[in-house]
Amino acid sequence: MSEIRSELKYLSSHEWARVEEDGTVTIGISDYAQESLGDVVYVECPDVGAAIVAGEQVAVVESVKAASDIYAPISGEVIEVNEALEDSPETVNDSPYDDGWFFKVRPDELEELGNALDSEAYEEQLDE
Amino acid sequence: MSDLLKTPLYEQHQNLGARIVDFGGWALPVNYSSQVEEHNAVRNNAGVFDVSHMTVSDITGSDTLPFLSKLLANDIYKVSSLPGKALYSCMLNESGGVIDDLIVYYLTDEYCRVVTNAATNQKDMAWLAKQAASFSNVSVTEKSDLALIAIQGPKALDIIQTKFSDDIASSTKNLNRFQGTFTENSADNIFIGRTGYTGEDGVEIILPANKAEQIWQQCIDNNIQPCGLGARDTLRLEAGMALYGADLDEEHTPIESGLSWSVALNDKNKIPRDFIGATALASNSRYKMIGLILEGKGVLRGHQKLLNNSEEVGEITSGTFSPTLQKSIAIARIRSNCELSIDSTLHVQIRKNQVEARIVKYPFI
């Protein structure tokens, strides 16, 4: 059974978003996503400073098995990427919600996250 | 999944928590736990694969050898004095394109066993039937009631010889590499080939479906790692073995697919052989295969384009991340007039980026 965290927002394509205390948003992929992908060997994040748009493809995660597109849960500016993933991409498998985060965004409008799924809706989707 | 074909071991895969996928119409395990751990188990210890989806056919009759000689790009007479000896070959269409690649075990002058791919089953069986019709005394019988279990890895033979039943253990003791045999009690209908698709020593056991569960369980009980299609692909690619549908297809000859070693244009007396597709192979090859190791970031995958000084020269046919080398590797097809030497570099178009890759000889391990 995959872990779902109640404080996060999700996309149906299995990205999560967490609103930090300073109003920035951290983005990663769910436990279910890392499990489906299998051993992650490469993560291609957007550049720091890049403007990203909700719903558009912004990153790629590659497992041994396949490459998978990552979509932006929110629009804004990328302010930090998780550089530790470059040497240890397997962190995405070991800790998808904590150390395995992908990048942080300064959102244009935080309210935009209202369009994303809450944990219950995401869980329902996984059950289907 | 309900419409998919299931192997006799489907329930075992479910019980082991396998991730099941649709593979050419078959419900098969892609991985049980970590694909990389499964891969490493085969490189370092032993792993077991359910490959019952593959097609086993028995070729019988007094025209068996003439039929196979006509059908196959490799020469069946290379092995026809060595009972049980296996031969790898492609079977070609008239234009030299590869209909399928296969392993044939020579058993007697009137009996050979052929193992072909699953996804190509229908066209293979139609082709075999069509070609057999030109011979007065040959039958092709598809053995769809059989299971196929591959046990592979440096410790595979040792485990089989010390832990498995006497008939299976003793049969493997007498097997040379690339040779197969029925076990002593012929009523069991258990065939063991010392062959595989991983680059490691091991066996492939062809047996009645109702005996599959017992052998599978014996593997699990002896700590042989169950392995899915995912590990099978990374293992075969590291070993430089071609995959039909990726590295091989009807649009390219075996020579254009890196398999010229498996083509016997002449027989042992240097006389040109008359096999289907032979005429087409006499013309110049348009392509050649190279191995690649990625120097930059990313993962090489099938269909990525290759650029030499911005000129497109070919594309990757199979690519992956190699768990053994901890680097991304690929087999690629480039134009035959493209003069690139081993250790030179070219660029691979990976999404928006052009990433450097080095040309290497393969197998990669």
Side-chain angles (χ1 to χ4, degrees), chain B residues 262-302:
Chain B
S262 77
V263 175
L265 292 171
N266 299 323
D267 68 16
K268 60 175 188 273
N269 300 318
K270 314 269 189 221
I271 295 166
R273 290 196 326 111
D274 172 29
F275 61 92
I276 301 165
T279 321
L281 296 189
S283 51
N284 286 338
S285 292
R286 302 160 296 171
Y287 304 98
K288 60 186 175 189
M289 299 297 263
I290 54 170
L292 291 173
I293 290 183
L294 188 64
E295 300 282 0
K297 293 174 188 170
V299 180
L300 301 172
R301 305 281 185 193

Side-chain angles (χ1 to χ4, degrees), chain B residues 199-255:
Chain B
E200 298 295 336
D201 203 352
V203 296
E204 295 176 294
I205 303 178
I206 302 172
L207 73 176
N210 62 12
K211 295 194 179 108
E213 186 185 339
Q214 191 195 340
I215 297 289
W216 180 266
Q217 196 53 47
Q218 230 169 346
C219 290
I220 306 298
D221 293 345
N222 285 292
N223 293 319
I224 299 178
Q225 169 72 44
C227 297
L229 294 171
R232 188 167 160 82
D233 192 53
T234 50
L235 288 159
R236 71 93 192 166
L237 190 44
E238 284 184 351
M241 292 167 155
L243 172 65
Y244 193 85
D247 313 300
L248 301 174
D249 56 41
E250 293 197 29
E251 313 307 316
H252 300 93
T253 70
I255 295 165

